[in-house]
Amino acid sequence: MATRTFLFLLGSSRADGNTGTLARLAAEQLPAGTEQRWLDLRDLPLPDFEDRRHADGHTAPTGHAATLLEATLAATDVVVASPLYWYAVSTSTKRYLDHWSGWLETPGVDFQRRMAGKTLWGVTALADADPAAAEPLAGTLRNSARYLGMRWGGVLLGNGSKPGDVLSDTGATARAKTFFS
């Protein structure tokens, strides 16, 4: 089996939230030695995405965008860990995904070809008791994976509002133990 490299992108607006806790619990189950890179989008703020396809085009990203592009391309598995905010991914996560549009158009990056075959995963905590409330978030990620020719690994859902609540969701903690297998 080829070596896998996991990129965990934390999209919560708070430190130590339920989504990050659930993602870490799932990551603990990865085989020993599996490379993991954790990036908190709060520490790597991106500007609003500006679509330049029909103007002067997109140029190579710099700063935090360059860091995120490099990390995204280096991973075999991209894990978007975003809490469910208003039935969708968080603002920082959406902004990151919006920048994929620019990377698709950036000369020399070959983003779509290089993303094809990777696996995209989602991890989210939601306060709603009905897991169907997370379907818009899951759909965003699933459709993004499909568009780029990526495999869809699925979404790990946990329930919780206050930090630490997700650990009381025994179904989620059980699913976390086999999520990446």
Side-chain angles (χ1 to χ4, degrees):
M1 182 172 163
T3 303
R4 292 171 72 188
T5 334
F6 280 76
L7 171 62
F8 290 86
L9 293 158
L10 302 174
S12 181
S13 62
R14 67 176 161 199
D16 303 319
N18 287 301
T19 297
T21 298
L22 190 57
R24 290 186 196 291
L25 183 60
E28 288 172 5
Q29 314 308 313
L30 290 169
T34 301
E35 186 179 337
Q36 299 177 32
R37 184 171 182 186
W38 292 78
L39 296 176
D40 191 324
L41 295 173
R42 290 176 310 129
D43 298 333
L44 300 163
L46 293 170
D48 286 340
F49 173 70
E50 183 179 351
D51 187 349
R52 308 216 37 93
R53 286 176 298 168
H54 305 294
D56 54 356
H58 292 277
T59 58
T62 59
H64 297 315
T67 299
L68 289 165
L69 171 60
E70 175 274 319
T72 302
L73 292 175
T76 60
D77 294 78
V78 178
V79 183
V80 173
S82 172
L84 183 69
Y85 290 154
W86 286 104
Y87 311 101
V89 294
S90 67
T91 301
S92 61
T93 301
K94 178 66 168 79
R95 189 171 287 122
Y96 162 74
L97 293 172
D98 284 348
H99 277 265
W100 285 18
S101 295
W103 300 342
L104 281 165
E105 301 293 329
T106 302
V109 172
D110 207 8
F111 189 70
Q112 186 158 11
R113 182 191 63 77
R114 293 174 70 187
M115 293 301 287
K118 297 177 185 285
T119 303
L120 183 62
W121 307 84
V123 177
T124 191
L126 61 153
D128 197 306
D130 182 2
E135 183 49 38
L137 177 146
T140 293
L141 298 176
R142 184 176 52 250
N143 289 328
S144 297
R146 182 181 313 125
Y147 182 79
L148 291 175
M150 300 174 75
R151 288 185 291 277
W152 171 236
V155 65
L156 175 60
L157 298 175
N159 192 277
S161 183
K162 293 183 309 204
D165 279 356
V166 75
L167 296 174
S168 298
D169 182 344
T170 56
T173 58
R175 288 186 303 275
K177 294 181 189 239
T178 59
F179 184 60
F180 294 122
S181 26

